[in-house]
Amino acid sequence: MPKLDDIMNVVQKLASIEGVGEHLCFFGGSVPYMLHGIDSNREHSDIDVLVGESYMSAIREWAQDEQNGCHYNSDLDSLNLGLNDDYGFKVYIDGVYVEFEPSVAQNGVFVRKSFSPNRGLAGREEIPFENIEDIMTSVNIGGAQTFFQSVEMIKAGKEQYRREKDLQDIAFIESQGYDTERYARVKQALESKKEIIGSYAELQTSTQDM
């Protein structure tokens, strides 16, 4: 599995894509460590990259070019599964497993779509928000303005699972400090989030907008 430096190198590569990088937001347990420049001393299986819906075509085209260090597999692209919507795609970039997920924030709701090849499921989650900064934060990385999931959202999300790695990440976030007011808002938002999930078979036959 990749180390934190491997993931950070991929983040910098993606953030530097002209016309696309500024429309990506990096999610996951590696984010707090990257933001503070401190090694997590553990392996990270992947990183989620949320992509503005209108930029999915551009990032797909980039990911299908082997010269960018990508190993694209059409079986890991939701557009090739005959589903009723774009639920993203998964690809290895310089040995790091990256999950690209379409997302949009509108009318006070943050929508994130994804799929699971192992479970044969796809769907979306809808998270209400007061301020988009509660969900993502902007940081200058290598001269590029880059968006990351807020540490408050990571903490609130990991508290719902509390696996060993989650407890480590929670402790790290608490040791580095976080915005308690933002955390309270995000925690409440996650408790009221809406998840709509279906099997591939259901989504191949459904014409409804999930």
Side-chain angles (χ1 to χ4, degrees):
M1 287 187 181
K3 298 292 186 180
L4 189 66
D5 285 347
D6 301 321
I7 293 177
M8 190 65 203
N9 289 336
V10 170
V11 167
Q12 291 177 324
K13 173 181 283 192
L14 291 170
S16 66
I17 301 174
E18 186 175 356
V20 177
E22 63 268 31
H23 301 285
L24 308 177
C25 184
F26 301 94
F27 271 48
S30 60
V31 167
Y33 303 96
M34 286 191 286
L35 292 176
H36 291 286
I38 298 175
D39 196 342
S40 63
N41 294 314
R42 73 170 175 85
E43 294 178 335
H44 296 270
S45 59
D46 60 12
I47 186 165
D48 297 337
V49 183
L50 275 62
V51 185
E53 283 187 324
S54 58
Y55 294 89
M56 284 298 297
S57 295
I59 196 63
R60 266 194 177 87
E61 182 179 352
W62 183 91
Q64 290 172 3
D65 189 342
E66 292 184 358
Q67 295 185 9
N68 292 323
C70 303
H71 182 68
Y72 174 83
N73 181 344
S74 60
D75 292 337
L76 297 177
D77 191 331
S78 68
L79 289 187
N80 298 319
L81 300 176
L83 305 181
N84 64 348
D85 204 349
D86 183 357
Y87 295 95
F89 67 99
K90 307 171 192 299
V91 64
Y92 281 95
I93 303 176
D94 297 335
V96 175
Y97 192 58
V98 182
E99 304 188 47
F100 290 98
E101 303 176 359
S103 66
V104 62
Q106 59 185 11
N107 301 322
V109 178
F110 184 77
V111 179
R112 171 184 184 179
K113 292 181 283 188
S114 63
F115 72 109
S116 172
N118 294 334
R119 301 171 62 194
L121 300 173
R124 61 192 280 170
E125 65 178 23
E126 301 176 354
I127 304 172
F129 67 90
E130 294 182 22
N131 305 303
I132 193 61
E133 291 80 8
D134 289 347
I135 294 175
M136 60 182 70
T137 185
S138 176
V139 179
N140 190 298
I141 301 290
Q145 208 63 23
T146 309
F147 289 95
F148 291 91
Q149 182 181 21
S150 73
V151 296
E152 293 81 12
M153 188 177 187
I154 295 171
K155 172 176 160 61
K158 286 183 170 291
E159 287 175 342
Q160 295 180 337
Y161 296 99
R162 304 190 71 81
R163 297 162 296 188
E164 182 177 351
K165 65 177 183 178
D166 297 321
L167 295 176
Q168 175 186 334
D169 296 342
I170 291 169
F172 178 77
I173 292 170
E174 291 176 344
S175 71
Q176 299 299 312
Y178 61 95
D179 186 320
T180 55
E181 293 184 0
R182 174 179 292 168
Y183 165 74
R185 291 193 300 269
V186 171
K187 182 178 176 66
Q188 183 177 13
L190 289 181
E191 289 173 350
S192 59
K193 76 176 178 181
K194 182 179 181 181
E195 292 183 299
I196 308 173
I197 300 172
S199 68
Y200 287 177
E202 292 171 326
L203 297 175
Q204 285 168 345
T205 58
S206 171
T207 58
Q208 292 182 339
D209 177 17
M210 290 186 58

